[in-house]
């Protein structure tokens, strides 16, 4: 059932789609890097993905918990990409402002377990760090903390921007994606929807005359 999640891009594709389904207008991808032990190149040690959509409800937490029970539904299968591709023990934070809850996934032997509790302050107050200020953020974010199972190279930001831009094409609510690398804003992709309007085309007086747009066949059988 996971065959269609064949690439790391599937993780972001699923998270973006889930954000859109939750009526989110903004999503942020917060990438943390560290020096690689091989050659000192920067590798991704952790990603935090968050959106400003509707907070998780009781039934949403229950659906997420089904992953640990080994019985995920379509929502759970999408979230399972986090485990199968880049992360083994994600942390999910969501809830109304001031009432944020967290669900941690962790392994005991060969079994996957979950633990719920109060959300850590570092996740809740992250906007102040990104803005380099002490301004209180009143947005109710739903966050997915994804520590890398195996640190991987930082993606090419130009190619990553193309991928994210293409993903926005298919979202109705989601209109803005911001990407931070080590707390510095690197990408800010905004979608603007322009109202459609009818374009009047000048009609040719006949099929044989070039005095306007031809809107009918030579015999007059077909007309636009």
């Amino acid at each position: 059932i996971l065959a269609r999640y064949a690439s790391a891009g599937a993780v972001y594709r699923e998270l973006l789609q889930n954000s859109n389904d939750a009526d989110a207008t903004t999503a942020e991808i917060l990438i943390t890097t560290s020096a690689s032990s091989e050659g000192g190149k920067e590798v991704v040690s952790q990603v935090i993905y968050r959106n400003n959509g509707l907070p998780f409800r009781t039934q949403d937490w229950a659906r997420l918990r089904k992953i640990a029970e080994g019985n995920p539904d379509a929502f759970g299968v999408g979230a399972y990409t986090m485990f199968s591709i880049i992360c083994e023990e994600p942390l999910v934070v969501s809830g109304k402002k001031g009432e944020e809850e967290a669900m941690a996934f962790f392994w005991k032997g060969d079994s996957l377990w979950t633990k719920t509790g109060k959300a850590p302050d570092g996740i809740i107050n992250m906007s102040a760090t990104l803005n380099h200020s002490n301004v209180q953020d009143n947005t109710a974010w739903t966050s997915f903390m994804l520590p890398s199972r195996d640190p991987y190279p930082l993606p090419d930001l130009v190619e990553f921007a193309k991928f994210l831009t293409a993903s926005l094409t298919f979202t109705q609510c989601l209109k803005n994606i911001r990407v931070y690398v080590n707390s510095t804003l690197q990408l800010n992709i905004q979608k603007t929807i322009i109202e459609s309007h009818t374009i009047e085309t000048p009609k040719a007086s006949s099929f044989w005359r070039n005095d306007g747009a031809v809107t009918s066949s030579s015999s007059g059988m077909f007309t636009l």
Side-chain angles (χ1 to χ4, degrees), residues 174-193:
L174 191 62
K175 295 180 174 63
N176 183 213
I177 303 175
R178 294 191 286 262
V179 179
Y180 294 82
V181 178
N182 298 326
S183 300
T184 300
L185 181 64
Q186 297 289 349
L187 299 173
N188 189 357
I189 304 169
Q190 194 92 27
K191 177 171 75 172
T192 302
I193 299 177

Side-chain angles (χ1 to χ4, degrees), residues 74-144:
F75 171 84
V77 169
Y80 198 94
T81 59
M82 295 183 295
F83 299 90
S84 61
I85 298 176
I86 63 173
C87 178
E88 285 189 336
E89 298 185 342
L91 173 69
V92 182
V93 175
S94 187
K96 295 180 180 178
K97 192 66 182 176
E99 302 176 13
E100 293 89 346
E101 298 180 69
M103 178 179 290
F105 292 81
F106 60 97
W107 293 90
K108 280 187 178 181
D110 295 331
S111 300
L112 182 63
W113 294 71
T114 61
K115 183 178 181 180
T116 57
K118 190 179 183 314
D121 290 338
I123 298 293
I124 297 174
N125 300 321
M126 187 172 301
S127 292
T129 302
L130 295 175
N131 298 331
H132 303 289
S133 70
N134 294 319
V135 176
Q136 183 67 32
D137 180 16
N138 293 318
T139 305
W141 295 98
T142 293
S143 304
F144 297 81

Side-chain angles (χ1 to χ4, degrees), residues 3-61:
R4 65 191 180 101
Y5 301 112
S7 68
V11 176
Y12 294 109
R13 204 159 32 239
E14 286 295 329
L15 290 172
L16 290 168
Q17 185 58 57
N18 288 342
S19 300
N20 186 67
D21 294 342
D23 296 336
T25 58
T26 300
E28 294 186 338
I29 300 171
L30 319 173
I31 300 173
T32 301
T33 66
S34 59
S36 170
S37 57
E38 301 177 2
K41 293 184 178 180
E42 292 292 300
V43 293
V44 177
S45 56
Q46 178 177 273
V47 172
I48 295 177
Y49 175 94
R50 65 181 193 169
N51 70 75
N52 67 346
L54 298 172
F56 272 26
R57 304 161 297 175
T58 302
Q59 55 267 43
D60 296 323
W61 291 114

